[in-house]
Amino acid sequence: MTLLNAALQGVFLGAFYAVLACGLSIMFGVMRIINLAHGDIAVLGAYVVFVIVEHAGVSAFIAFAAALPVMVVLGYVLQITLLERSLKAGILTPLLATFGLSIVIQNLLQLAFSPDVQSLGGSAGALTTSSWQLAGGLSVSALGLVVLVVAVLVFGALQLFLARTRIGWMMRATAEDADAAELVGINSRSVYAWATAMAVAIAALGGFFLAIRSVFDPVSGPTQLIFAFEAVVIGGMGSLWGTLLGGIALGVAQTLGAQVHPQFAVMAGHLLFLVVLIVRFGGGRAVLRAAR
Amino acid sequence: MTLLNVEALDCRYGLLQAVRSVSLRVEAGETVALIGANGAGKTTLLRAVAGAHRLHSGRVVFDGVDITRLPAHRRVALGIALVPEGRRLFPSLTVEENLRVAASRRRRGPWNVQSVLEVFPMLQQRRRRPAASLSGGEQQAVAIGRALMSNPRLLLLDEVSLGLAPIVVDAVYRSLAGIISEGSTVLLVEQDLTRALRVAGRVVCLLEGRVVLEEAAGGLDRDRVVSAYFGLRRPA
C-alpha cells in the first residue's frame, strides 16, 4: 500500500508541476517562445507575495490575490518591451533574451532579499499542516488537495476559454498563423501581450504554491524551470491537457522513484523525460538498430 | 470616386526588389484584375495594400486616408480584406469559428455567418467541422467568407483558383460574381487570363515588379496581353 500512497502523493506533486508548466506551455503554444526565465518569474511571484505578507501582515492567500494583478501587468509589459522585439530577430533571440532575463531576475532578487531561504508556509494557516488518513494507508494533505483542485480548475478554465470564447479563438488563430490573423483584423501584438500576461500570472501561482508547500530562495527558479519543462515535453509540446497529464506523470515518477531510494526521486523524473523524448522522436528504432 | 490609390510603391525582400514604383488607382465599385507571370510582384502588391508586407517606399491611400503606416488589423477595420494565397485558414478552428474570429473588427454591413453560409451553401453541413478537414474548394469558400465577415469596402483576392479543380473554380467564381454585382470593389490576382478578362472591368499587367499594361478588359486584344505578360515587346 505504500506504493499506492506514493503514487497518490505523486499526483499531488505532479499537479504542482503542471501549474508551474502551464505558463511555459502557453508561451510556447502561442508564440513559440521557450521562456528560460519562466522558473525565475515564478519565484519572483513568490517574492511579490512574500513582500505583501511582510508589509501588510495579511494571510498568504490574500497577498497572492493582491500580487496577481501586479504579475499580469508585468507579463504584459515584458511582452511589449523585451519579447516582442526579440521575436522579430528570429527564433534563437527570445531564447537568449529570456536566458539573460533569468540571470537578471536572480541577481535582483539576491540584491533585494539576500540569498536567505524563505517560506510562506507559516502565513498560509492550517492548510499547510492539515491532512487526512484514509483506509489502506493513504494520506491526503489539505494542501495537496487544494493544489490538485486548483490545477484542474486552471487547466479547465483555460480549455474553456480557448474553445468557447471569441478571444480564445483569436488566441488560437494567432498561434496558428499570426500573419493571417492580422489580415482578419486581429491585433497580434495585443494577443501576444495578453498570452504572456496570462502565462506570467499562472507562473506566479506556481511560485506561490512552491512558497507555501516548501521553501524558496533567489536561485530556486532554474530547478522549477527544469520540472516545468519536463512536464511540458512529457505531455506533448503545445497541448494543454497534455501538460497537466505530463506534470502528473512527472510527479508520480518522482515519488515512485523515491520509494527505490530517496535520492533517486528527481532522477526517476529525468529518466521518464528521456524515455518520452526517445520514443516520441523515433529514437526507439535508432536504439534498437544500434543494439543489433 | 477613387477608393484605393497606390503611389510609387516599392517593396523589397532583402535585396530583391519585388515591386518597383507601381502606381495604381481603383475606383469604387470597380473590379480590377492583376495579371502577370510568377514572380511579377502581384502577391506582394496585394499584401502591401493589405498591410501584411512592409513598404520600402511609396504611399497607400484608402478613401482619402493615408494608411501607409497602419498595421494590417487596422486596415481591416477601415474596410480592406485580403483572401490570401493558399487560403491560410486557422486549421484547428471550425468553419464557424474561422468566420466569427474574423468579425472582431467588423464594419456595419450585410455580411455575417448566416449570409456567408447562404452564399456558400456547401459550408452549411460543415460549419462545426475543423477547417483542416475540408476539401480545397470548401476551404477557399471559407477563406472568402472569412474576408467578407468584416464587410470590406475593398476585397483583395489572391489566386482563389489555385490548386482547385476547374469545376470547383467555376463554383467559386459564380459565388464571386454575385458578390461583385452587389457593388463591392475588388482587386484580384488571377493566373487564368480568360477568367480574369471575364470578371474584371480593367486589367493591370505586372512584369518584373512594374506595370507594363493597364487597360479596360473589354476591348483588350489577347496578343497584346500575352506579349505584356511575358515581356516579349515592352510597350514604350
Side-chain angles (χ1 to χ4, degrees), chain B residues 40-211:
Chain B
K42 310 178 297 284
T43 293
T44 308
L45 178 56
L46 277 200
R47 286 176 55 82
V49 170
H53 194 281
R54 237 194 318 171
L55 310 189
H56 184 261
S57 63
R59 242 158 57 99
V60 181
V61 179
F62 182 69
D63 196 18
V65 183
D66 187 332
I67 58 165
T68 312
R69 307 213 166 282
L70 282 191
H73 68 268
R74 301 222 6 230
R75 298 191 195 194
V76 174
L78 287 178
I80 298 180
L82 169 67
V83 179
E85 187 181 357
R87 311 185 267 275
R88 305 279 292 270
L89 297 181
F90 308 117
S92 84
L93 273 62
T94 64
V95 168
E96 188 171 343
E97 287 166 0
N98 262 284
L99 295 177
R100 289 178 58 185
V101 80
S104 63
R105 278 164 205 267
R106 196 168 172 269
R107 296 156 29 80
R108 288 159 69 87
W111 294 108
N112 52 41
V113 174
Q114 212 48 50
S115 54
V116 166
L117 292 180
E118 275 163 27
V119 175
F120 299 106
M122 73 258 222
L123 298 180
Q124 195 70 253
Q125 304 290 319
R126 302 267 189 273
R127 61 193 289 179
R128 308 216 184 284
R129 295 266 297 275
S133 71
L134 304 186
S135 72
E138 290 164 345
Q139 287 191 8
Q140 190 62 69
V142 178
I144 295 170
R146 188 178 65 173
L148 292 173
M149 284 297 288
S150 61
N151 283 301
R153 285 192 285 170
L154 173 64
L155 184 60
L156 308 169
L157 299 165
D158 197 353
E159 303 222 19
V160 290
S161 57
L162 199 71
L164 302 183
I167 188 163
V168 180
V169 178
D170 285 339
V172 167
Y173 266 94
R174 261 199 306 281
S175 309
L176 274 179
I179 295 161
I180 291 170
S181 69
E182 277 170 35
S184 315
T185 311
V186 179
L187 179 58
L188 65 102
V189 166
E190 178 54 71
Q191 290 277 9
D192 182 340
L193 198 56
T194 317
R195 212 176 278 281
L197 290 173
R198 200 183 308 147
V199 290
R202 193 152 58 89
V203 173
V204 175
C205 183
L206 290 183
L207 177 70
E208 291 167 3
R210 286 179 224 279
V211 175

Side-chain angles (χ1 to χ4, degrees), chain A residues 35-292:
Chain A
N35 179 9
L36 291 182
H38 188 76
D40 304 286
I41 289 171
V43 171
L44 177 67
Y47 272 103
V48 173
V49 177
F50 175 73
V51 167
I52 297 172
V53 166
E54 291 286 290
H55 283 78
V58 291
S59 109
F61 293 97
I62 293 171
F64 174 71
L68 211 49
V70 177
M71 297 306 284
V72 167
V73 172
L74 190 85
Y76 196 95
V77 172
L78 174 68
Q79 176 64 36
I80 58 175
T81 53
L82 184 74
L83 297 179
E84 184 182 295
R85 296 165 75 95
S86 68
L87 263 176
K88 283 184 191 149
I91 53 165
L92 208 57
T93 314
L95 209 60
L96 291 173
T98 55
F99 181 65
L101 181 66
S102 155
I103 296 170
V104 169
I105 293 176
Q106 286 175 34
N107 282 283
L108 285 179
L109 289 177
Q110 299 243 24
L111 261 180
F113 299 101
S114 83
D116 291 349
V117 170
Q118 309 285 356
S119 175
L120 288 171
S123 330
L127 186 77
T128 45
T129 49
S130 320
S131 69
W132 300 279
Q133 301 301 321
L134 303 185
L138 294 181
S139 149
V140 176
S141 72
L143 184 58
L145 200 59
V146 165
V147 172
L148 178 61
V149 169
V150 170
V152 171
L153 285 179
V154 165
F155 278 86
L158 264 177
Q159 187 67 37
L160 273 181
F161 165 72
L162 290 174
R164 296 260 183 275
T165 69
R166 183 148 86 194
I167 300 177
W169 300 337
M170 285 164 70
M171 207 166 266
R172 279 163 62 203
T174 311
E176 285 175 355
D177 191 338
D179 186 63
E182 273 282 329
L183 288 172
V184 301
I186 296 169
N187 182 349
S188 58
R189 285 186 65 202
S190 159
V191 168
Y192 280 180
W194 282 112
T196 306
M198 265 165 51
V200 167
I202 298 170
L205 178 64
F208 172 65
F209 284 154
L210 170 73
I212 57 174
R213 66 196 304 283
S214 71
V215 294
F216 62 100
D217 63 48
V219 291
S220 299
T223 316
Q224 310 310 312
L225 173 71
I226 287 177
F227 294 149
F229 192 70
E230 289 182 341
V232 172
V233 172
I234 291 170
M237 306 204 48
S239 141
L240 266 184
W241 287 123
T243 300
L244 178 61
L245 293 179
I248 288 175
L250 179 66
V252 171
Q254 288 190 358
T255 50
L256 289 181
Q259 293 294 306
V260 178
H261 189 278
Q263 287 193 329
F264 186 63
V266 172
M267 181 54 103
H270 293 338
L271 285 179
L272 173 66
F273 166 73
L274 286 176
V275 167
V276 169
L277 265 188
I278 289 171
V279 171
R280 176 150 318 134
F281 295 105
R285 251 169 296 160
V287 170
L288 284 180
R289 242 198 322 271
R292 253 192 284 149

